[in-house]
Amino acid sequence: MSTPGRPGEPDRIALRGLTVRGNHGVFEFEKREGQDFVIDVVLNTSVARAAASDDVADTIHYGHLAEDVAAIVEDNTFDLIETLAERIAEHCLSLCESVEVVVHKPSAPIQRAFDDVSVTVARSRSAAAPHRSTGGEASSGSAEAVLSLGANLGDPRATLDEAVAALDRHPRITVLRRSSLYLTAPWGGVEQNDFHNLAVIVETSLEAKELLAVGQGIEVACGRTRELRWGPRTLDIDLIRFSTGGEELVSDSATLTLPHPRAHERAFVLAPWAELDPDAQVLTPAGRTPISTLLETLAEQKTSRVAPA
């Protein structure tokens, strides 16, 4: 259906509530059994020519659009609905100048009562995502980020493998380097199992807050709930550092603090990171400090590298 915009805004063609069965999710049972996904797309495009001619050939055929979107959902298998939304947006940009896509996952595997889980992406031809590097080097104009991952519930090794793979499958994230696995005592005084931890350095064309949201989405897909601070975790993904063009992003907002405010106090963050970048300088309240120096001051925090399985 067409929806009129306010003066000065582009015309819009919207398709909402398209329900399609798909096999997307981090867990194997999601890929095997499938579930319903609900798709909303809003295309920004002029309908003036079609309105004047009254000819369906001069507009975007929403019947064809529905079939094309449904085929993307049905014919692919992604870990993340972020990836699914991106692929739908890429197709829509072949039809219009800009688009908003919302992918709803109403049957997401969350152990809490909830109404909906959704991801929204807004894309335009003028701001299309840059080419993704496949050679292990950051592409021009991209950002580089350090992420710390940890788990101590279920099968931590398998969960961390799934999480790293999910990051790398995202169309705007490439995992450049991954550390060994480390076994560390829990932080914060809560009695629980030891954690398995690792670090990754990624290249991304996402903004920092978008990268953080992707990490949180992977946490949810792996069954993460946020009940007890510093408590047991099926999966924890923290954004530690985010740099663009060699300049480190410093942020102190309600939703994003960078660099991570407690990274310099945590051996389980620094040890895997130091393996990937032994010359890293970490921003602390006392100024930039070599990561090796910080690890020396945290020697009482027992962190040991785990032998490969």
Side-chain angles (χ1 to χ4, degrees):
M1 63 179 177
S2 298
T3 57
R6 293 187 294 271
E9 288 188 350
D11 302 332
R12 298 191 297 275
I13 293 177
L15 173 66
R16 303 187 192 275
L18 179 67
T19 302
V20 188
R21 192 79 177 177
N23 299 77
H24 310 284
V26 170
F27 296 110
E28 284 304 316
F29 75 84
E30 294 183 283
K31 294 183 173 67
R32 182 179 63 252
E33 299 172 11
Q35 60 190 287
D36 286 341
F37 295 84
V38 182
I39 315 298
D40 304 325
V41 294
V42 178
L43 289 72
N44 295 311
T45 183
S46 174
V47 301
R49 181 176 178 181
S53 68
D54 198 26
D55 187 343
V56 70
D58 290 332
T59 190
I60 296 170
H61 194 304
Y62 41 78
H64 294 167
L65 174 64
E67 291 302 319
D68 291 343
V69 172
I72 294 171
V73 179
E74 293 171 336
D75 296 344
N76 294 279
T77 299
F78 302 121
D79 285 352
L80 302 179
I81 57 174
E82 288 90 337
T83 310
L84 177 59
E86 189 77 30
R87 296 298 168 82
I88 294 171
E90 289 173 359
H91 169 72
C92 291
L93 287 179
S94 68
L95 307 173
C96 63
E97 290 298 321
S98 63
V99 65
E100 180 177 278
V101 176
V102 185
V103 176
H104 304 265
K105 190 176 181 179
S107 299
I110 299 174
Q111 303 303 313
R112 293 281 179 174
F114 69 101
D115 290 329
D116 188 24
V117 169
S118 68
V119 166
T120 302
V121 301
R123 299 288 181 263
S124 65
R125 290 181 182 175
S126 61
H131 175 71
R132 175 175 172 168
S133 168
T134 57
E137 295 295 332
S139 59
S140 175
S142 65
E144 187 172 284
V146 178
L147 297 169
S148 175
L149 292 76
N152 73 339
L153 292 177
D155 185 344
R157 282 177 179 259
T159 299
L160 292 171
D161 285 344
E162 289 177 0
V164 174
L167 285 167
D168 197 49
R169 288 192 186 103
H170 192 283
R172 298 174 66 187
I173 301 172
T174 299
V175 175
L176 301 177
R177 297 193 291 283
R178 168 182 174 163
S179 77
S180 304
L181 199 62
Y182 289 76
L183 192 65
T184 63
W187 172 275
V190 178
E191 187 173 345
Q192 57 186 302
N193 295 334
D194 286 348
F195 272 83
H196 286 72
N197 294 95
L198 61 82
V200 294
I201 295 177
V202 305
E203 170 203 357
T204 182
S205 59
L206 298 171
E207 296 181 5
K209 62 182 179 181
E210 294 174 322
L211 178 59
L212 179 64
V214 169
Q216 291 172 342
I218 296 172
E219 289 177 347
V220 170
C222 288
R224 163 73 183 268
T225 59
R226 298 174 181 272
E227 300 173 22
L228 180 62
R229 190 181 190 194
W230 297 327
R233 306 288 170 84
T234 305
L235 177 65
D236 197 16
I237 302 178
D238 286 330
L239 177 56
I240 306 300
R241 167 183 282 182
F242 190 92
S243 303
T244 304
E247 293 294 326
E248 184 174 354
L249 175 63
V250 177
S251 172
D252 187 12
S253 70
T255 57
L256 180 63
T257 302
L258 283 172
H260 192 288
R262 291 175 294 279
H264 65 283
E265 302 172 346
R266 298 176 171 181
F268 67 82
V269 172
L270 298 179
W273 181 6
E275 178 187 328
L276 301 178
D277 186 4
D279 298 322
Q281 297 280 323
V282 182
L283 188 61
T284 75
R288 294 195 178 276
T289 306
I291 196 168
S292 57
T293 300
L294 290 172
L295 279 169
E296 290 175 3
T297 67
L298 300 174
E300 76 283 357
Q301 295 184 19
K302 302 301 181 183
T303 299
S304 58
R305 190 178 301 188
V306 178

